[in-house]
Amino acid sequence: MKMIAVRHCSATGQESDAPLTEEGCRQAQKLAHFLKRYNFNILLSSPFKRAIDTIKPYAELTHNEIKTDKRLAERVLSTQTDPNWDWKFHLERTYKEEHLKFPGGESSFEAKQRIHSLIKELEDAGHHSVLLVTHGNLMSMLISLYEPSFEFKEWELLTNPDVFMIDSLSKDVTRLSVV
């Protein structure tokens, strides 16, 4: 199965209802025109507003339906509210210790299992060309299923939006340039 995984465009925040910024809206239009060269069996998005709004211009342009799947939602590292909690330091630790889990959060292992279950379901249903719209951390977990060297440092280099083509058979992962 071939997948194109998209990290959402620039947004105003991390909340599930955070909208795209003005720049994010322009990015979504550009992304729509970039993606129109591909034909997808299914469009799946995180249920978060910024992900849906990222792919909405493409869906409208190509008359495709956007389906949401909670397995594409962003990974929760922790529900820790201490302002001194160094989330980036702890996130990096989870790339090295995949079973490490913080209060209210999800381990890297659990996030990988979540996204893997979606991929397996899509393959079992016979889909051969899939568009997935998600978030940076979960996208890095998806990529690492096929390219294990994709870790914290690669996550740090992700942009909004970012687009990767993944071939689940050959395990080939290619970053695409949205021009």
Side-chain angles (χ1 to χ4, degrees):
M1 178 173 74
K2 293 195 188 286
M3 299 172 269
I4 290 193
V6 175
R7 181 187 190 192
H8 65 80
C9 297
S10 295
T12 62
Q14 296 297 310
E15 306 81 24
S16 62
D17 62 349
L20 297 179
T21 62
E22 283 185 35
E23 175 63 17
C25 291
R26 286 190 294 274
Q27 292 168 340
Q29 290 295 326
K30 191 174 178 181
L31 180 65
H33 291 282
F34 171 78
L35 291 173
K36 74 179 181 181
R37 68 186 84 177
Y38 299 97
N39 292 312
F40 301 104
N41 296 116
I42 189 168
L43 274 65
L44 285 174
S45 174
S46 157
F48 287 20
K49 180 172 176 43
R50 61 187 177 273
I52 293 169
D53 289 351
T54 290
I55 205 57
K56 190 180 276 183
Y58 171 78
E60 291 171 353
L61 182 68
T62 60
H63 307 288
N64 277 297
E65 176 188 0
I66 302 169
K67 295 181 180 180
T68 60
D69 193 299
K70 63 184 179 183
R71 291 172 287 185
L72 291 168
E74 182 61 288
R75 172 182 170 208
V76 174
L77 179 62
S78 175
T79 53
Q80 177 70 270
T81 56
D82 179 354
N84 297 318
W85 197 68
D86 187 350
W87 69 268
K88 211 167 184 182
F89 168 77
H90 293 294
L91 177 63
E92 183 173 12
R93 289 181 58 203
T94 69
Y95 279 84
K96 296 173 184 153
E97 305 169 53
E98 73 171 7
H99 291 283
L100 179 62
K101 186 173 177 174
F102 298 103
E106 181 180 36
S107 70
S108 292
F109 179 80
E110 290 169 330
K112 286 179 184 179
Q113 293 297 92
R114 172 164 54 105
I115 191 66
H116 182 262
S117 74
L118 174 60
I119 301 309
K120 176 91 171 89
E121 186 178 295
L122 292 167
E123 288 175 335
D124 290 349
H127 292 289
H128 56 82
S129 183
V130 176
L131 177 62
L132 304 173
V133 185
T134 190
H135 307 269
N137 192 254
L138 191 69
M139 187 157 135
S140 74
M141 298 291 122
L142 168 61
I143 293 168
S144 73
L145 292 173
Y146 302 98
E147 192 173 292
S149 64
F150 201 97
E151 296 184 350
F152 179 77
K153 295 295 179 198
E154 289 73 21
W155 167 82
E156 284 187 305
L157 298 173
L158 290 175
T159 60
N160 296 91
D162 222 331
V163 181
F164 286 82
M165 182 179 286
I166 303 168
D167 186 322
S168 65
L169 245 51
S170 69
K171 299 189 183 242
D172 183 49
V173 177
T174 306
R175 182 181 238 144
L176 302 177
S177 178
V178 179
V179 199

